[in-house]
């Protein structure tokens, strides 16, 4: 169908769903919306015609194809002149790439003894006192009298009280504790709060999610393939030459500093004096420090 406005509502959902699947494969895909929402072009590298051509073909129904169903709508609803098309640099998450290289090396060298520095994994069973707590809490959900439904958005009150008292010696209040679902999600939520106009500073090397979420939020420019680094990100070298602590005096201006100690992947832990210097620097230069 040439005009996507003629598509029933469920067809729009199908086009969007399939488009998202293509996006996961690294193709640049235009998001297709119902007529009430003018479409914004989202493509993989911006202007390459072969990607645009690949992106324009999405399946609206089994056995039926439509070429860029939003193009007629864009003629009637042109993109605002101040709108900058979003660009998502096509890159790879670090740990799967390490896994692919490791497996390729093992195919050629099956007897190689590899110490993997890729994604970490657990190697020991869960202790009994933790496992029994998990089993007990799960069992309560199967009984009407103890069923609780959704938990508190900050985490269970009893758990937050224990964290505040046992781990922080009551130096913080339970209300200041947030039990989340993991570091990746937390970092992404912070990036969403900061938005796309900020410049982030990260340790080099560092946990890859800091950079990945900056890319996803549209904060970065193009990638320098020789250095494997993005424009509009401040990389703070942390290596044996500087004691694994960045030279803050020569550091370019950034809005947000992400600092992880002990560092991932080096394991280097900053001293109290170094952390004091970092906080002082962030206060004087009006940085947001995410520790």
């Amino acid at each position: 169908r040439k005009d996507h406005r003629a598509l029933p509502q469920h067809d729009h959902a199908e086009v969007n769903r399939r488009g998202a699947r293509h996006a996961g494969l690294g193709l640049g895909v235009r998001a297709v919306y119902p007529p009430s929402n003018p479409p914004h072009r989202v493509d993989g590298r911006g202007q390459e015609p072969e990607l645009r051509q690949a992106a324009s073909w999405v399946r609206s129904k089994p056995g039926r194809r439509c070429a860029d169903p939003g193009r007629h709508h864009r003629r009637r609803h042109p993109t605002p002149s101040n709108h900058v098309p979003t660009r998502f640099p096509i890159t790879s998450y670090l740990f799967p790439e390490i896994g692919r290289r490791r497996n390729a090396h093992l195919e050629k060298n099956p007897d190689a003894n590899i110490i993997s520095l890729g994604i970490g994994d657990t190697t020991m069973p869960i202790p009994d006192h933790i496992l029994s707590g998990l089993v007990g809490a799960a069992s309560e959900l199967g009984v009407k009298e103890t069923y609780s439904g959704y938990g508190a958005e900050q985490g269970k009150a009893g758990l937050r009280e224990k964290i505040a008292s046992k781990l922080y010696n009551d130096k913080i209040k339970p209300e200041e504790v947030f039990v989340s679902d993991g570091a990746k999600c937390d970092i992404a939520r912070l990036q969403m709060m900061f938005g796309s106009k900020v410049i982030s500073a990260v340790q080099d090397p560092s946990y890859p999610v800091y950079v990945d979420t900056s890319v996803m939020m549209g904060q970065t420019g193009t990638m320098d393939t020789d250095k494997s680094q993005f424009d509009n990100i401040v990389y703070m070298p942390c290596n044996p030459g500087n004691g694994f602590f960045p030279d803050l005096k020569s550091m370019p201006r950034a809005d947000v500093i992400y600092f992880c100690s002990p560092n991932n992947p080096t394991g280097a832990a900053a001293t109290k004096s170094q952390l004091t210097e970092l906080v002082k620097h962030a206060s004087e230069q009006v940085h947001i420090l995410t520790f």
Side-chain angles (χ1 to χ4, degrees):
R1 300 174 184 177
K2 292 184 177 180
D3 193 333
H4 83 287
R5 295 184 302 169
L7 294 173
Q9 185 65 38
H10 67 273
D11 280 353
H12 291 297
E14 178 71 3
V15 170
N16 283 322
R17 183 178 66 81
R18 293 180 179 272
R21 184 182 301 169
H22 284 290
L25 296 176
L27 294 177
V29 178
R30 296 186 181 96
V32 182
Y33 300 88
S36 59
N37 298 322
H40 294 282
R41 187 178 66 195
V42 179
D43 50 22
R45 297 292 289 178
Q47 302 299 324
E48 285 86 324
E50 63 274 11
L51 279 179
R52 290 206 307 272
Q53 182 179 5
S56 66
W57 289 90
V58 291
R59 185 182 296 276
S60 62
K61 266 191 174 182
R64 184 175 296 148
R65 289 185 180 275
C66 57
D68 190 7
R71 71 184 188 278
H72 296 282
H73 182 65
R74 281 195 294 276
R75 294 173 184 171
R76 296 178 176 86
H77 302 275
T79 303
S81 57
N82 62 347
H83 173 69
V84 179
T86 304
R87 298 188 182 189
F88 294 97
I90 299 177
T91 184
S92 175
Y93 188 46
L94 174 63
F95 296 129
E97 178 63 23
I98 292 176
R100 284 190 289 269
R101 296 189 185 190
R102 181 193 63 227
N103 293 337
H105 182 78
L106 284 174
E107 287 182 3
K108 297 179 180 178
N109 307 275
D111 297 328
N113 184 18
I114 295 179
I115 300 176
S116 178
L117 299 180
I119 192 167
D121 199 357
T122 56
T123 58
M124 301 294 289
I126 300 174
D128 290 338
H129 68 284
I130 296 177
L131 185 61
S132 61
L134 293 172
V135 172
S139 299
E140 291 177 357
L141 299 178
V143 181
K144 182 178 181 180
E145 289 73 19
T146 55
Y147 180 77
S148 59
Y150 286 129
E153 69 279 357
Q154 286 185 257
K156 283 191 171 183
L159 175 60
R160 289 188 282 116
E161 290 172 359
K162 290 292 185 181
I163 291 174
S165 63
K166 298 295 184 180
L167 299 183
Y168 291 92
N169 296 321
D170 290 319
K171 293 180 180 178
I172 63 174
K173 300 177 181 178
E175 293 77 17
E176 298 177 282
V177 177
F178 184 87
V179 181
S180 73
D181 51 352
K184 293 185 182 70
C185 299
D186 286 340
I187 295 168
R189 292 179 186 116
L190 288 173
Q191 292 281 27
M192 292 175 66
M193 181 177 66
F194 296 145
S196 61
K197 304 296 184 181
V198 302
I199 295 178
S200 297
V202 300
Q203 293 159 285
D204 183 22
S206 68
Y207 187 46
V209 176
Y210 301 123
V211 172
D212 294 344
T213 51
S214 297
V215 174
M216 293 169 65
M217 280 304 301
Q219 298 173 4
T220 58
T222 57
M223 173 185 273
D224 185 332
T225 54
D226 293 332
K227 297 181 179 180
S228 295
Q229 294 182 347
F230 287 94
D231 294 336
N232 297 339
I233 286 185
V234 175
Y235 293 87
M236 304 181 294
C238 297
N239 50 57
N242 59 13
F244 297 99
F245 189 78
D247 182 3
L248 300 177
K249 295 180 180 179
S250 63
M251 171 185 164
R253 177 73 174 82
D255 301 298
V256 183
I257 299 176
Y258 292 95
F259 194 87
C260 180
S261 178
N263 175 266
N264 182 349
T266 67
T271 64
K272 182 177 180 179
S273 61
Q274 288 174 330
L275 294 178
T276 302
E277 179 186 353
L278 178 63
V279 172
K280 180 181 179 182
H281 173 81
S283 300
E284 292 176 349
Q285 300 298 324
V286 197
H287 300 297
I288 296 174
L289 177 59
T290 305
F291 177 79

